[in-house]
Amino acid sequence: MPGFEVFGDEEKKEVNDVLQTGVLFRYGFDSQRKGVWKAKSFEIELSKVVGSKYSHLCSSGTSALCTALSSCSIGAGDEVIIPPFTFIATIEAVLYTGAVPVFAEIDETLCLNPESIKAKITTKTKAVIPVHMCGSMARIDEIKLLCDQKGIILVEDACQSLGSTFNGKSVGTFGLAGCFSFDPVKTITCGEGGAIVTNDKDIYTNVDAYADHGHDHIGQDRGLEGHEILGTNFRISELNAAVGLAQLRKLGGIIEKQRIHKKEIKDALSQFKHISLRKIPDETGDSATFLSFLLPNEDAARKTIKDLASAGVDSCFYWYDNNWHYIRKWDHFKKLKSPSKLPINLISNLPDYENMSLPESDFIMSRTISMQIKLSWTKEDLCKRVEKMINVLKKG
Ligand SMILES: *Cc1c(COP(=O)(O)O)cnc(C)c1O
């Protein structure tokens, strides 16, 4: 997820356009801004890149998720099925809309298993949020079909997977809404930012208003705009949007390079029969930000991650222990620790998050190692890396 690796003159130029006008706000100031609309331009270009009718930028991927959920009418007391392998933001977004997170198992795609989703559906299930983890995709066609059959809303957390496609269609565009993040470690970054994409005009209208205190953005005078709904301030600034615009134009090159680098490592791994690669429902649509592989058991995975580190193979992650992406270590969530009472505290018969058991996900995550694919690797770096990896993996 290396947008930060390609920060350069293009980003500075876009930011300078904004600084020249002094208009840092994405709305209004029509005469002072001299035609500079970075957030709007970013939205138009993002829609083209992902093939959505509408895009709306937000201050973060988290605020994009909150906006998408509310805009799709997901709220107090609704059950929302999510995976245990994600970033905490997915859970937080569900909690702050007042909904109840319900966890289904992942499979070897490292994303939600459609069979497990099915098993978790109740009369209260309002939505499913598959998370397209680590640059690749969930079994999104099957999940979409299931949601359609059951009348459940599909919202995709594609925060980590801009540039990834399934059968030629961008992740984030299968459901009623999809979310992307442009935080500092994502595929492209604008410092802090996120986006919601949708093909539904009514959802877009909600999104556009919700992220800006309900403003309908009709007319030329912000003070006279109407407000159909309540919202909040999840706006992006023009400075952040400017960086993102330059980064978005680099996306194609980023993905192409990642794919080349990943292929080299993947080819070298194929000789090791004890290793299996993460299952990718459409290999050709992998954005290749990560290479993830599974060892036969937890002990082997623990030994391998340690040996990789000793051998100087950096940027490898064992999520099962790491407290960023897997639920196992999220005690603050399991205990619902918050400075204030949460809407979920008012709900009876909550899932018992502290004693929740997700054996299939544990079995997969305890064996999985992910390696970040960097853009900055030279041919020589890559060669050395592969050599070191082979030496580690040869030993078992
Ligand atoms: C990064 C991320 C988010 C949140 O994005 P921010 O821009 O950091 O708020 C949400 N979901 C997933 C899966 C992420 O990786």
Side-chain angles (χ1 to χ4, degrees), residues 350-366:
L350 275 187
D352 181 359
Y353 295 117
E354 281 188 88
N355 296 300
M356 188 169 51
S357 140
L358 292 159
E360 290 166 36
S361 303
D362 280 344
F363 182 59
I364 290 163
M365 292 315 298
S366 63

Side-chain angles (χ1 to χ4, degrees), residues 14 39 48 58 134 142 244-246 253 261 274 282:
E14 296 298 324
K48 280 194 192 132
C58 274
C134 303
E142 293 169 70
L245 188 57
H261 287 176
H274 69 295
D282 177 5

Side-chain angles (χ1 to χ4, degrees), residues 1 58-65 85-93 131-134 157-161 179-186 191-195 325:
M1 297 186 194
C58 274
S59 52
S60 69
T62 309
S63 61
L65 281 165
F85 181 48
T86 180
F87 178 54
I88 193 76
T90 319
I91 301 178
E92 288 168 336
V131 184
H132 301 287
M133 283 301 281
C134 303
D157 180 340
C159 283
Q160 297 193 357
S161 298
C179 298
F180 294 101
S181 163
F182 312 118
D183 84 17
V185 292
K186 297 302 203 281
E192 296 288 359
H325 284 310

Side-chain angles (χ1 to χ4, degrees), residues 20 70 99 142 197 224 240 247 266 268 274 276 284 333 369:
Q20 300 279 320
S70 280
E142 293 169 70
V197 298
L224 295 178
N240 293 90
Q247 289 256 305
K266 209 170 126 183
H274 69 295
S276 64
T284 57
F333 160 67
I369 291 174

